[in-house]
Amino acid sequence: MAQWTSTVGSAQLARLLGSQQDRPAGPGSRRPPAYRALADGVRLLVLEGRVPVGARLPAERELALALSVSRTTVAAAYEELRTEGFLESRRGAGSWTAVPAGNPFPARGLEPLPPESLGSMIDLGCAALPAPEPWLTRAVHGALEELPPYAHTHGDYPAGLPALRERIAARYTERGIPTMPEQIMVTTGAMGATDAICHLFAGRGERIAVESPSYANILQLMREAGARLVPVAMAEGLGGWDLDRWRQVLRDAAPRLAYVVADFHNPTGALVPEDQRRALVEAARAAGTVLIVDETMSEVHLEPDLTMPRPVCGFDPAGSTVITVGSASKAFWAGMRIGWVRAAPDVIRSLVAARAFADLGTPVLEQLAVNWLLRGEGWGQAVALRRTQARENRDALVAAVRRELPDWEFGVPGGGLTLWVRTGGLSGSRLAEVGERVGIRVPSGPRFGVDGAFEGYVRLPFTVGGAVADEAAARLAAAARLVRGGAGGANGAEPTRTFVA
């Protein structure tokens, strides 16, 4: 990394380091020298993603004052971090966080295991559930009945079928966000929507701010588009966004775009409250940054009494700052590759015009199937079935992991499809690598970070329940025992390449 892309103030870093003091020490552990404890603390913050990679650290004297230690202690800690590859420095530019070159994070993944190839392997790579029948079959039958008139046309609808655009616009209006069909473009999944937005707004080399952690496949999509990713750490646990950090990054890095997941964030499961949504929109507007807001999890709320916050686009009535991405893939079925963009009409026109050089349009039959679901009771009943299944799976997985791995830490989200789990000091990459040997595929934390962060995490989706959830936790526990025993590779950071959805 050539230079820093964000900064961490001395007071902020002192607060983050202080939060580590609440963690229990291991049995028989001895207090390390002050400089080493400081270096260990900064290293852990980087690996967990709480301090982004590429973040400029305070000057030695400034941090020493904030921590009430000597400048010599800070200088020795910085030197140790430089020696280990976790800090880079340049005269006149200061020092910024890094990750050692010998510990690359897995940037690509294998395709999901085909169903017929799963065998005895439990695949926790994809946060996706089976189709909610009988609604998939009914939707396809309904689409086939409505197909003949469209079969007499050329079949290319770059903006999407007019009927489906109207239906999606009406759903936003029902949520209190007045929307015209001209503000909707139907896409091939949320990934297709995000890819189109990135190509329109951010050329190669442009900065895009992203939550840290964030959705692994979107991060890779942006990397391959040539974007410079600027990570912004999430608040602790299920607290949502850290607005102070967002304001700082928007001000200092001036990113062209920012990508966020406000509803049951992937991977943490956080549901961002309304006051944070309003504040981020205001900060982005002031900075001239366009927000891509991913709503693919918005309907996967699992608590009956949960009141959902107002959509982020509801705080941008002029439509100049927020572009919303939605999808049928998580709420209905991943095999239904229908997504959409909600934006100002001029943005939609630009996206549609650019589509002539991409995929031309989204399959008509699938659009008709989603339109059939949205027009009647099918969508509501299918989503209700999905919520019940996800809730039961979540509760079974939470109970099993707590029983088998009591030192692993996580918050239980009120929706979404994933648990973001701190692995009790074990390497997530080693757990993923060893896990395949004992019959479980699990994505390691670094796949959800930028430049190797989150080594101490794994993501567990609510895709299995009952006895399978029990067996999954037992296999994870077996993998953890092997990692503790040193069976996970020589350097403890061998990357696994597991597909993530």
PDB file of all heavy atoms in Angstrom, residues 443-468:
ATOM      1  N   PRO A 443     -16.375 -19.831   5.619  1.00  0.00           N
ATOM      2  CA  PRO A 443     -15.528 -18.735   5.153  1.00  0.00           C
ATOM      3  C   PRO A 443     -14.842 -18.027   6.314  1.00  0.00           C
ATOM      4  O   PRO A 443     -15.454 -17.747   7.341  1.00  0.00           O
ATOM      5  CB  PRO A 443     -16.514 -17.800   4.441  1.00  0.00           C
ATOM      6  CG  PRO A 443     -17.840 -18.093   5.046  1.00  0.00           C
ATOM      7  CD  PRO A 443     -17.813 -19.525   5.478  1.00  0.00           C
ATOM      8  N   SER A 444     -13.568 -17.750   6.140  1.00  0.00           N
ATOM      9  CA  SER A 444     -12.797 -17.079   7.185  1.00  0.00           C
ATOM     10  C   SER A 444     -13.042 -15.576   7.158  1.00  0.00           C
ATOM     11  O   SER A 444     -13.427 -14.994   6.135  1.00  0.00           O
ATOM     12  CB  SER A 444     -11.306 -17.366   6.991  1.00  0.00           C
ATOM     13  OG  SER A 444     -10.871 -16.850   5.741  1.00  0.00           O
ATOM     14  N   GLY A 445     -12.777 -14.942   8.294  1.00  0.00           N
ATOM     15  CA  GLY A 445     -13.017 -13.521   8.441  1.00  0.00           C
ATOM     16  C   GLY A 445     -12.336 -12.631   7.424  1.00  0.00           C
ATOM     17  O   GLY A 445     -12.936 -11.651   6.956  1.00  0.00           O
ATOM     18  N   PRO A 446     -11.064 -12.891   7.027  1.00  0.00           N
ATOM     19  CA  PRO A 446     -10.399 -11.984   6.099  1.00  0.00           C
ATOM     20  C   PRO A 446     -11.103 -11.805   4.758  1.00  0.00           C
ATOM     21  O   PRO A 446     -10.869 -10.818   4.074  1.00  0.00           O
ATOM     22  CB  PRO A 446      -9.016 -12.649   5.920  1.00  0.00           C
ATOM     23  CG  PRO A 446      -8.779 -13.344   7.212  1.00  0.00           C
ATOM     24  CD  PRO A 446     -10.132 -13.875   7.618  1.00  0.00           C
ATOM     25  N   ARG A 447     -11.957 -12.740   4.380  1.00  0.00           N
ATOM     26  CA  ARG A 447     -12.689 -12.565   3.123  1.00  0.00           C
ATOM     27  C   ARG A 447     -13.644 -11.376   3.193  1.00  0.00           C
ATOM     28  O   ARG A 447     -14.052 -10.835   2.166  1.00  0.00           O
ATOM     29  CB  ARG A 447     -13.484 -13.833   2.783  1.00  0.00           C
ATOM     30  CG  ARG A 447     -12.606 -14.977   2.296  1.00  0.00           C
ATOM     31  CD  ARG A 447     -13.411 -16.113   1.706  1.00  0.00           C
ATOM     32  NE  ARG A 447     -14.416 -15.681   0.756  1.00  0.00           N
ATOM     33  CZ  ARG A 447     -14.174 -15.302  -0.498  1.00  0.00           C
ATOM     34  NH1 ARG A 447     -12.943 -15.249  -0.934  1.00  0.00           N
ATOM     35  NH2 ARG A 447     -15.163 -14.956  -1.285  1.00  0.00           N
ATOM     36  N   PHE A 448     -13.994 -10.943   4.389  1.00  0.00           N
ATOM     37  CA  PHE A 448     -14.970  -9.873   4.557  1.00  0.00           C
ATOM     38  C   PHE A 448     -14.318  -8.538   4.916  1.00  0.00           C
ATOM     39  O   PHE A 448     -15.003  -7.569   5.211  1.00  0.00           O
ATOM     40  CB  PHE A 448     -15.989 -10.264   5.636  1.00  0.00           C
ATOM     41  CG  PHE A 448     -16.690 -11.553   5.330  1.00  0.00           C
ATOM     42  CD1 PHE A 448     -16.161 -12.769   5.753  1.00  0.00           C
ATOM     43  CD2 PHE A 448     -17.866 -11.568   4.592  1.00  0.00           C
ATOM     44  CE1 PHE A 448     -16.798 -13.969   5.446  1.00  0.00           C
ATOM     45  CE2 PHE A 448     -18.502 -12.752   4.289  1.00  0.00           C
ATOM     46  CZ  PHE A 448     -17.961 -13.965   4.714  1.00  0.00           C
ATOM     47  N   GLY A 449     -12.994  -8.527   4.892  1.00  0.00           N
ATOM     48  CA  GLY A 449     -12.266  -7.313   5.210  1.00  0.00           C
ATOM     49  C   GLY A 449     -11.416  -6.855   4.046  1.00  0.00           C
ATOM     50  O   GLY A 449     -11.417  -7.443   2.965  1.00  0.00           O
ATOM     51  N   VAL A 450     -10.686  -5.780   4.278  1.00  0.00           N
ATOM     52  CA  VAL A 450      -9.794  -5.219   3.270  1.00  0.00           C
ATOM     53  C   VAL A 450      -8.363  -5.455   3.729  1.00  0.00           C
ATOM     54  O   VAL A 450      -8.005  -5.123   4.865  1.00  0.00           O
ATOM     55  CB  VAL A 450     -10.058  -3.713   3.082  1.00  0.00           C
ATOM     56  CG1 VAL A 450      -9.043  -3.095   2.114  1.00  0.00           C
ATOM     57  CG2 VAL A 450     -11.484  -3.490   2.565  1.00  0.00           C
ATOM     58  N   ASP A 451      -7.559  -6.082   2.882  1.00  0.00           N
ATOM     59  CA  ASP A 451      -6.134  -6.282   3.143  1.00  0.00           C
ATOM     60  C   ASP A 451      -5.855  -7.115   4.387  1.00  0.00           C
ATOM     61  O   ASP A 451      -4.983  -6.797   5.191  1.00  0.00           O
ATOM     62  CB  ASP A 451      -5.407  -4.940   3.255  1.00  0.00           C
ATOM     63  CG  ASP A 451      -5.411  -4.182   1.941  1.00  0.00           C
ATOM     64  OD1 ASP A 451      -5.444  -4.850   0.889  1.00  0.00           O
ATOM     65  OD2 ASP A 451      -5.399  -2.946   1.961  1.00  0.00           O
ATOM     66  N   GLY A 452      -6.607  -8.188   4.571  1.00  0.00           N
ATOM     67  CA  GLY A 452      -6.246  -9.169   5.585  1.00  0.00           C
ATOM     68  C   GLY A 452      -6.809  -8.972   6.971  1.00  0.00           C
ATOM     69  O   GLY A 452      -6.421  -9.683   7.897  1.00  0.00           O
ATOM     70  N   ALA A 453      -7.724  -8.028   7.166  1.00  0.00           N
ATOM     71  CA  ALA A 453      -8.308  -7.822   8.487  1.00  0.00           C
ATOM     72  C   ALA A 453      -9.249  -8.973   8.846  1.00  0.00           C
ATOM     73  O   ALA A 453      -9.636  -9.772   7.997  1.00  0.00           O
ATOM     74  CB  ALA A 453      -9.065  -6.497   8.522  1.00  0.00           C
ATOM     75  N   PHE A 454      -9.617  -9.059  10.127  1.00  0.00           N
ATOM     76  CA  PHE A 454     -10.591 -10.017  10.668  1.00  0.00           C
ATOM     77  C   PHE A 454     -10.089 -11.453  10.672  1.00  0.00           C
ATOM     78  O   PHE A 454     -10.857 -12.390  10.449  1.00  0.00           O
ATOM     79  CB  PHE A 454     -11.926  -9.917   9.922  1.00  0.00           C
ATOM     80  CG  PHE A 454     -12.523  -8.544   9.957  1.00  0.00           C
ATOM     81  CD1 PHE A 454     -12.529  -7.740   8.833  1.00  0.00           C
ATOM     82  CD2 PHE A 454     -13.036  -8.027  11.140  1.00  0.00           C
ATOM     83  CE1 PHE A 454     -13.043  -6.463   8.870  1.00  0.00           C
ATOM     84  CE2 PHE A 454     -13.549  -6.743  11.189  1.00  0.00           C
ATOM     85  CZ  PHE A 454     -13.561  -5.957  10.058  1.00  0.00           C
ATOM     86  N   GLU A 455      -8.807 -11.627  10.933  1.00  0.00           N
ATOM     87  CA  GLU A 455      -8.256 -12.980  11.002  1.00  0.00           C
ATOM     88  C   GLU A 455      -8.882 -13.787  12.131  1.00  0.00           C
ATOM     89  O   GLU A 455      -8.958 -15.018  12.065  1.00  0.00           O
ATOM     90  CB  GLU A 455      -6.741 -12.915  11.180  1.00  0.00           C
ATOM     91  CG  GLU A 455      -6.049 -14.261  11.155  1.00  0.00           C
ATOM     92  CD  GLU A 455      -6.303 -15.026   9.870  1.00  0.00           C
ATOM     93  OE1 GLU A 455      -5.952 -14.520   8.786  1.00  0.00           O
ATOM     94  OE2 GLU A 455      -6.890 -16.121   9.955  1.00  0.00           O
ATOM     95  N   GLY A 456      -9.369 -13.127  13.163  1.00  0.00           N
ATOM     96  CA  GLY A 456      -9.935 -13.832  14.305  1.00  0.00           C
ATOM     97  C   GLY A 456     -11.423 -14.085  14.212  1.00  0.00           C
ATOM     98  O   GLY A 456     -12.072 -14.274  15.252  1.00  0.00           O
ATOM     99  N   TYR A 457     -11.981 -14.148  12.994  1.00  0.00           N
ATOM    100  CA  TYR A 457     -13.425 -14.314  12.820  1.00  0.00           C
ATOM    101  C   TYR A 457     -13.734 -15.368  11.766  1.00  0.00           C
ATOM    102  O   TYR A 457     -12.923 -15.655  10.879  1.00  0.00           O
ATOM    103  CB  TYR A 457     -14.073 -13.003  12.350  1.00  0.00           C
ATOM    104  CG  TYR A 457     -14.156 -11.921  13.395  1.00  0.00           C
ATOM    105  CD1 TYR A 457     -13.053 -11.140  13.698  1.00  0.00           C
ATOM    106  CD2 TYR A 457     -15.344 -11.678  14.087  1.00  0.00           C
ATOM    107  CE1 TYR A 457     -13.123 -10.133  14.654  1.00  0.00           C
ATOM    108  CE2 TYR A 457     -15.426 -10.677  15.038  1.00  0.00           C
ATOM    109  CZ  TYR A 457     -14.311  -9.912  15.318  1.00  0.00           C
ATOM    110  OH  TYR A 457     -14.379  -8.917  16.262  1.00  0.00           O
ATOM    111  N   VAL A 458     -14.956 -15.914  11.853  1.00  0.00           N
ATOM    112  CA  VAL A 458     -15.570 -16.683  10.766  1.00  0.00           C
ATOM    113  C   VAL A 458     -17.031 -16.234  10.657  1.00  0.00           C
ATOM    114  O   VAL A 458     -17.588 -15.684  11.604  1.00  0.00           O
ATOM    115  CB  VAL A 458     -15.519 -18.211  11.001  1.00  0.00           C
ATOM    116  CG1 VAL A 458     -14.095 -18.728  10.961  1.00  0.00           C
ATOM    117  CG2 VAL A 458     -16.205 -18.586  12.309  1.00  0.00           C
ATOM    118  N   ARG A 459     -17.607 -16.480   9.494  1.00  0.00           N
ATOM    119  CA  ARG A 459     -19.031 -16.193   9.310  1.00  0.00           C
ATOM    120  C   ARG A 459     -19.799 -17.501   9.226  1.00  0.00           C
ATOM    121  O   ARG A 459     -19.437 -18.402   8.467  1.00  0.00           O
ATOM    122  CB  ARG A 459     -19.271 -15.383   8.026  1.00  0.00           C
ATOM    123  CG  ARG A 459     -20.696 -14.851   7.927  1.00  0.00           C
ATOM    124  CD  ARG A 459     -21.037 -14.375   6.516  1.00  0.00           C
ATOM    125  NE  ARG A 459     -21.224 -15.493   5.579  1.00  0.00           N
ATOM    126  CZ  ARG A 459     -21.685 -15.352   4.343  1.00  0.00           C
ATOM    127  NH1 ARG A 459     -21.984 -14.155   3.873  1.00  0.00           N
ATOM    128  NH2 ARG A 459     -21.828 -16.413   3.559  1.00  0.00           N
ATOM    129  N   LEU A 460     -20.876 -17.601  10.027  1.00  0.00           N
ATOM    130  CA  LEU A 460     -21.710 -18.802  10.040  1.00  0.00           C
ATOM    131  C   LEU A 460     -23.119 -18.433   9.603  1.00  0.00           C
ATOM    132  O   LEU A 460     -23.807 -17.677  10.294  1.00  0.00           O
ATOM    133  CB  LEU A 460     -21.749 -19.409  11.455  1.00  0.00           C
ATOM    134  CG  LEU A 460     -20.396 -19.742  12.098  1.00  0.00           C
ATOM    135  CD1 LEU A 460     -20.627 -20.334  13.485  1.00  0.00           C
ATOM    136  CD2 LEU A 460     -19.595 -20.705  11.228  1.00  0.00           C
ATOM    137  N   PRO A 461     -23.595 -18.955   8.485  1.00  0.00           N
ATOM    138  CA  PRO A 461     -24.945 -18.634   8.012  1.00  0.00           C
ATOM    139  C   PRO A 461     -25.998 -19.554   8.620  1.00  0.00           C
ATOM    140  O   PRO A 461     -25.702 -20.678   9.045  1.00  0.00           O
ATOM    141  CB  PRO A 461     -24.841 -18.855   6.505  1.00  0.00           C
ATOM    142  CG  PRO A 461     -23.829 -19.946   6.371  1.00  0.00           C
ATOM    143  CD  PRO A 461     -22.841 -19.744   7.496  1.00  0.00           C
ATOM    144  N   PHE A 462     -27.238 -19.069   8.623  1.00  0.00           N
ATOM    145  CA  PHE A 462     -28.358 -19.859   9.158  1.00  0.00           C
ATOM    146  C   PHE A 462     -28.917 -20.783   8.065  1.00  0.00           C
ATOM    147  O   PHE A 462     -30.099 -20.755   7.754  1.00  0.00           O
ATOM    148  CB  PHE A 462     -29.507 -18.961   9.629  1.00  0.00           C
ATOM    149  CG  PHE A 462     -29.105 -17.791  10.476  1.00  0.00           C
ATOM    150  CD1 PHE A 462     -29.820 -16.610  10.414  1.00  0.00           C
ATOM    151  CD2 PHE A 462     -28.033 -17.858  11.333  1.00  0.00           C
ATOM    152  CE1 PHE A 462     -29.478 -15.524  11.189  1.00  0.00           C
ATOM    153  CE2 PHE A 462     -27.669 -16.774  12.117  1.00  0.00           C
ATOM    154  CZ  PHE A 462     -28.397 -15.606  12.043  1.00  0.00           C
ATOM    155  N   THR A 463     -28.074 -21.602   7.492  1.00  0.00           N
ATOM    156  CA  THR A 463     -28.527 -22.446   6.392  1.00  0.00           C
ATOM    157  C   THR A 463     -28.802 -23.880   6.822  1.00  0.00           C
ATOM    158  O   THR A 463     -29.285 -24.676   6.018  1.00  0.00           O
ATOM    159  CB  THR A 463     -27.487 -22.450   5.257  1.00  0.00           C
ATOM    160  OG1 THR A 463     -26.208 -22.787   5.801  1.00  0.00           O
ATOM    161  CG2 THR A 463     -27.410 -21.082   4.610  1.00  0.00           C
ATOM    162  N   VAL A 464     -28.468 -24.215   8.057  1.00  0.00           N
ATOM    163  CA  VAL A 464     -28.715 -25.567   8.550  1.00  0.00           C
ATOM    164  C   VAL A 464     -29.403 -25.468   9.906  1.00  0.00           C
ATOM    165  O   VAL A 464     -29.237 -24.496  10.642  1.00  0.00           O
ATOM    166  CB  VAL A 464     -27.401 -26.378   8.678  1.00  0.00           C
ATOM    167  CG1 VAL A 464     -26.772 -26.593   7.303  1.00  0.00           C
ATOM    168  CG2 VAL A 464     -26.417 -25.692   9.616  1.00  0.00           C
ATOM    169  N   GLY A 465     -30.183 -26.478  10.229  1.00  0.00           N
ATOM    170  CA  GLY A 465     -30.882 -26.501  11.508  1.00  0.00           C
ATOM    171  C   GLY A 465     -30.949 -27.906  12.052  1.00  0.00           C
ATOM    172  O   GLY A 465     -30.482 -28.871  11.429  1.00  0.00           O
ATOM    173  N   GLY A 466     -31.554 -28.047  13.216  1.00  0.00           N
ATOM    174  CA  GLY A 466     -31.765 -29.360  13.806  1.00  0.00           C
ATOM    175  C   GLY A 466     -30.472 -30.118  14.022  1.00  0.00           C
ATOM    176  O   GLY A 466     -29.458 -29.575  14.471  1.00  0.00           O
ATOM    177  N   ALA A 467     -30.493 -31.399  13.663  1.00  0.00           N
ATOM    178  CA  ALA A 467     -29.338 -32.269  13.872  1.00  0.00           C
ATOM    179  C   ALA A 467     -28.134 -31.826  13.042  1.00  0.00           C
ATOM    180  O   ALA A 467     -26.986 -32.019  13.448  1.00  0.00           O
ATOM    181  CB  ALA A 467     -29.708 -33.716  13.536  1.00  0.00           C
ATOM    182  N   VAL A 468     -28.394 -31.213  11.879  1.00  0.00           N
ATOM    183  CA  VAL A 468     -27.279 -30.765  11.036  1.00  0.00           C
ATOM    184  C   VAL A 468     -26.555 -29.592  11.692  1.00  0.00           C
ATOM    185  O   VAL A 468     -25.327 -29.490  11.624  1.00  0.00           O
ATOM    186  CB  VAL A 468     -27.771 -30.392   9.627  1.00  0.00           C
ATOM    187  CG1 VAL A 468     -26.605 -29.954   8.748  1.00  0.00           C
ATOM    188  CG2 VAL A 468     -28.496 -31.561   8.977  1.00  0.00           C
TER     189      VAL A 468
END
